[in-house]
Amino acid sequence: MNTNKYIEFKKKRELGDILTDTFAFLRNEGKSLFSVLMKTCGIPFVLLLLASAYYTYASSNLFDPVSISNGDMFNSGAMLISLFLMLAALLAFYGLLFGSVLHYIKSYVTNNGIVDYESVTKGVKEDFGSILGLGVLSGIIIFFGFMLCVLPGIYLYVPMSLVFAILVFRNVSVSDSISESFQLVKNEWWITFATLFVLGIIIWVISMVFSIPALVYTFSKTFTAASEGTYADPSAMVDWVFIALNTISSAAQYALYVITAIASAFIYFNLNERKYSTGALEQIDSLGNNS
């Protein structure tokens, strides 16, 4: 039985409360959640890291003066192939991660803090295809928003950040998840944007900590090459040490998506409560049944 203090999701929250409860939930449920993620996302995570390492190696030609002068940076196709593999692995990992976290929270809420691990894995398997499709469709929507102008892209990102939570918690279709996301953020766009913005800054700061070893190694190697007068080929900077450190940094950044997934659940329930007051109505009904 879970002895951690139960965190109520179905209630109104301010920005600070969402951030505080996000990290409180991660602290209380992190160990159990991590065990679930190892089963559902372990293999895709490893494949994503391998794809990221391969992309770092393949993209080193961008800094090779010989390749640039010959115009054959992309002739081998290695960079394009590595980019495709990395994006495909990222999409699979992203879908499984969000599906796992949100189904974990769904079970947590349904059973008042007790998680049914079998229902979590079952839900992830059932919704995986829909989550992948929703990820691709929402990504296209945001992409075209940024292509039109930066502001439409930012505007569309806010409702699109909630589509996975709506899909899982309401068990609706992909199209309904997208349409409902716009209804949910209506008149609440600014507070939702502010929450996502502050959360993004926090995650960026944390990820920068893990990037320090790669940055230190790059600066030290650049300084050494410049002092020895051997800084003629920037592609030489991309050696196996740099690739390893860069991959570790990427691993930390990908793992931090867990925080985003948890926060999206709190944001969803906050907006849902402000719109429909479902949590308050359920509490009233429970009091009536107990009386």
Side-chain angles (χ1 to χ4, degrees), residues 134-156:
L134 186 57
V136 172
L137 188 57
S138 61
I140 292 174
I141 292 174
I142 296 173
F143 174 77
F144 278 106
F146 277 104
M147 287 294 290
L148 293 173
C149 187
V150 175
L151 292 180
I154 295 175
Y155 174 79
L156 291 172

Side-chain angles (χ1 to χ4, degrees), residues 23-209:
F23 287 97
F25 181 84
L26 182 61
R27 181 174 60 253
N28 293 344
E29 300 293 324
K31 185 176 181 179
S32 299
L33 180 58
F34 179 74
S35 65
V36 172
L37 294 176
M38 284 295 293
K39 296 178 182 178
T40 58
C41 307
I43 295 177
F45 183 65
V46 173
L47 293 177
L48 176 58
L49 294 183
L50 293 175
S52 298
Y54 178 49
Y55 174 75
T56 302
Y57 169 76
S59 61
S60 63
N61 280 340
L62 286 175
F63 307 101
D64 185 357
V66 177
S67 298
I68 294 174
S69 61
N70 294 337
D72 59 357
M73 287 187 298
F74 303 102
N75 287 351
S76 64
M79 181 178 171
L80 295 178
I81 293 173
S82 63
L83 178 61
F84 173 79
L85 292 175
M86 187 178 70
L87 291 178
L90 179 61
L91 179 62
F93 171 73
Y94 192 85
L96 285 170
L97 176 69
F98 265 72
S100 300
V101 172
L102 293 174
H103 272 287
Y104 185 98
I105 294 175
K106 183 178 182 179
S107 179
Y108 177 91
V109 172
T110 302
N111 301 304
N112 295 317
I114 307 300
V115 178
D116 182 359
Y117 300 105
E118 291 185 4
S119 68
V120 173
T121 54
K122 180 181 179 182
V124 173
K125 292 178 181 179
E126 291 177 350
D127 289 343
F128 180 60
S130 298
I131 290 176
L132 281 184
L134 186 57
V136 172
L137 188 57
S138 61
I140 292 174
I141 292 174
I142 296 173
F143 174 77
F144 278 106
F146 277 104
M147 287 294 290
L148 293 173
C149 187
V150 175
L151 292 180
I154 295 175
Y155 174 79
L156 291 172
Y157 173 76
V158 173
M160 291 302 102
S161 66
L162 301 174
V163 292
F164 298 111
I166 295 173
L167 178 74
V168 171
F169 294 131
R170 295 193 181 179
N171 195 28
V172 295
S173 65
V174 170
S175 58
D176 288 340
S177 298
I178 294 176
S179 61
E180 181 60 27
S181 68
F182 286 95
Q183 292 295 323
L184 207 56
V185 301
K186 187 178 181 180
N187 300 324
E188 302 287 347
W189 189 91
W190 280 108
I191 185 61
T192 307
F193 169 76
T195 305
L196 293 170
F197 181 75
V198 174
L199 180 67
I201 293 177
I202 295 174
I203 293 176
W204 178 77
V205 171
I206 297 174
S207 65
M208 284 301 296
V209 174

